[in-house]
Amino acid sequence: MDLAQLTHDLEALAAETRAAVAAATDSVGLESLELDVLGKKGRLTVVLRGIGALPVDERPKVGAIANQVRSGIEAAIAGRRRDLGESELEARLAAERIDVTTPGRPFRRGSLHPGVEAMAEIARIFAQFGFVVHESPEIEDDRTNFQMLNIPPDHPARDLWDTLYVDVPGYLLRTHTSPGQIRVMESTPPPIRVLLPGRCFRYEAIDASHASEFFQVEGLMVDEGTTLGDLRGLLEAFAHGMFGPGRKTRFRPGYYPFTEPSVAFDVECLVCGGVGCPVCGRSGWLTILGAGMVHPVVLRNVGLDPERYQGFAFGMGPERISMLRHRINDLRLFMENDLRFLEQFR
Ligand code: PHE
């Protein structure tokens, strides 16, 4: 191996590599070419191994040529890589082109069921008066659904609630949320302010205003010195929050076994403003809930002294509230889950 031979080999390698670089068609091929020539075990290294056989004074010359060859190849590869990169990017951009002006697919946006919406609104209003939401079971026992509420077995008051029983003796589907009152009073000492929303069940013939499954929202307050006037003021604030400020309200006498006195709470008709129309049955009033002072027997049943504690309770149907607010004329719509109905409440 002499200087001339080595120089020749280097230049041959340089020429061959430049040609190969120019011929490379993609950056992957270029990469392997680079490794093949300039890599640790590449062809340039192999050629340079011959340097060791040269006389010491000739080695720097070959070293200089080798450096030139190496940087020449590096520059050629870098240039080619740039060109290939550009055309590859362009090819990709062309292949993956998207039309950003195409209209998107619309999202199907859900909405709250009007019954759920009404319950949330009821809870929001009573929360301002310190009422917290509790839940109680849908499958109840006879004792809690009836007896503790001053409705003894075989008492005619049971006819107020047509009951669906389950096939476990002593158990039934709750006919109202009032058993929740018992559960709260049995587990929590006064003062009590709770709201009990939930599904109720009755053995009913279904029509535009009756369902066998519906919701109620029950309210209960128990404290020392609670009065019917407190109940009246609270319900009036509720009616104003729900149906608009300034609406007239009234108490009428009512009957429930677990409250005494019992009342029906009416709001001035939302449609005719009290003049009388078909919606309010020409009375000018709409009944929105039943209420009353917790019966002393009920207080005693849960171990509270009626001389010390008094309470009031109220119960309403959120579907009915929603029907009044949105002028919905058929209760069955709440159960049918017809999107054409539900999508109107956004
Ligand atoms: N539970 C009664 C019903 O279902 C409503 C009610 C609740 C009345 C609380 C008075 C007090 O009809």
Side-chain angles (χ1 to χ4, degrees):
M1 182 67 69
D2 59 18
L3 178 60
Q5 178 67 48
L6 208 53
T7 309
H8 172 266
D9 286 355
L10 281 172
E11 272 159 10
L13 179 61
E16 192 190 319
T17 305
R18 263 197 299 275
V21 166
T25 51
D26 59 53
S27 44
V28 177
L30 192 62
E31 199 103 345
S32 65
L33 180 62
E34 182 178 29
L35 204 67
D36 185 42
V37 179
L38 300 180
K40 253 196 208 112
K41 291 174 189 158
R43 293 171 63 191
L44 183 61
T45 316
V46 171
V47 174
L48 290 179
R49 232 173 252 147
I51 291 186
L54 295 179
V56 175
D57 61 331
E58 286 182 346
R59 291 182 196 169
K61 286 181 200 154
V62 184
I65 296 169
N67 281 339
Q68 236 174 12
V69 166
R70 172 180 286 277
S71 52
I73 291 173
E74 278 170 355
I77 288 175
R80 184 70 185 143
R81 176 172 286 141
R82 202 178 329 104
D83 293 348
L84 284 175
E86 265 166 34
S87 54
E88 280 169 14
L89 179 63
E90 256 156 50
R92 225 181 120 187
L93 286 175
E96 295 176 12
R97 173 176 226 103
I98 53 164
D99 181 358
V100 294
T101 66
T102 306
R105 288 187 204 91
F107 283 102
R108 276 191 77 111
R109 194 159 53 88
S111 55
L112 288 182
H113 188 283
V116 172
E117 181 218 28
M119 282 194 279
E121 184 65 5
I122 293 164
R124 191 190 65 76
I125 294 172
F126 283 105
Q128 296 171 332
F129 297 92
F131 284 74
V132 294
V133 170
H134 271 246
E135 288 192 81
S136 83
E138 292 178 356
I139 298 178
E140 249 321 343
D141 50 61
D142 189 275
R143 168 189 173 272
T144 317
N145 194 83
F146 289 128
Q147 295 166 40
M148 293 291 280
L149 287 164
N150 197 28
I151 311 163
D154 305 319
H155 194 280
R158 292 225 174 185
D159 295 347
L160 290 172
W161 297 275
D162 293 309
T163 307
L164 288 160
Y165 293 90
V166 297
D167 57 7
V168 179
Y171 286 86
L172 45 79
L173 298 181
R174 66 173 170 199
T175 56
H176 50 178
T177 42
S178 300
Q181 291 184 34
I182 301 299
R183 289 182 176 270
V184 169
M185 287 189 284
E186 284 189 324
S187 61
T188 319
I192 292 169
R193 286 185 207 192
V194 291
L195 217 54
L196 297 149
R199 196 186 295 270
C200 303
F201 308 85
R202 287 185 201 172
Y203 182 64
E204 293 274 1
I206 294 161
D207 64 25
S209 57
H210 294 85
S212 55
E213 240 185 284
F214 55 95
F215 283 83
Q216 281 192 343
V217 179
E218 186 98 2
L220 172 70
M221 170 158 177
V222 181
D223 203 346
E224 295 178 25
T226 308
T227 70
L228 190 66
D230 296 332
L231 174 62
R232 180 86 169 84
L234 176 67
L235 292 181
E236 188 159 275
F238 165 67
H240 290 167
M242 186 57 93
F243 301 110
R247 292 236 171 252
K248 286 201 197 107
T249 64
R250 72 173 183 187
F251 269 1
R252 273 186 303 121
Y255 171 73
Y256 298 100
F258 36 87
T259 46
E260 180 59 36
S262 301
V263 298
F265 181 62
D266 296 352
V267 183
E268 178 185 50
C269 179
L270 307 168
V271 176
C272 64
V275 185
C277 70
V279 172
C280 57
R282 318 228 165 266
S283 71
W285 297 95
L286 298 165
T287 301
I288 59 168
L289 56 82
M293 299 305 290
V294 179
H295 200 295
V297 167
V298 174
L299 290 171
R300 258 184 243 114
N301 284 346
V302 296
L304 293 175
D305 175 6
E307 295 301 324
R308 179 168 175 201
Y309 293 109
Q310 300 75 39
F312 58 69
F314 52 88
M316 68 185 96
E319 289 98 343
R320 174 160 171 79
I321 303 281
S322 179
M323 287 170 80
L324 294 173
R325 287 180 95 196
H326 297 298
R327 313 258 197 279
I328 299 163
N329 58 11
D330 196 323
L331 180 60
R332 287 168 290 201
L333 289 165
F334 285 80
M335 260 65 71
E336 285 166 354
N337 288 334
D338 185 333
L339 286 178
R340 290 169 302 178
F341 169 68
L342 296 175
E343 280 175 344
Q344 296 175 52
F345 305 93
R346 292 222 201 268

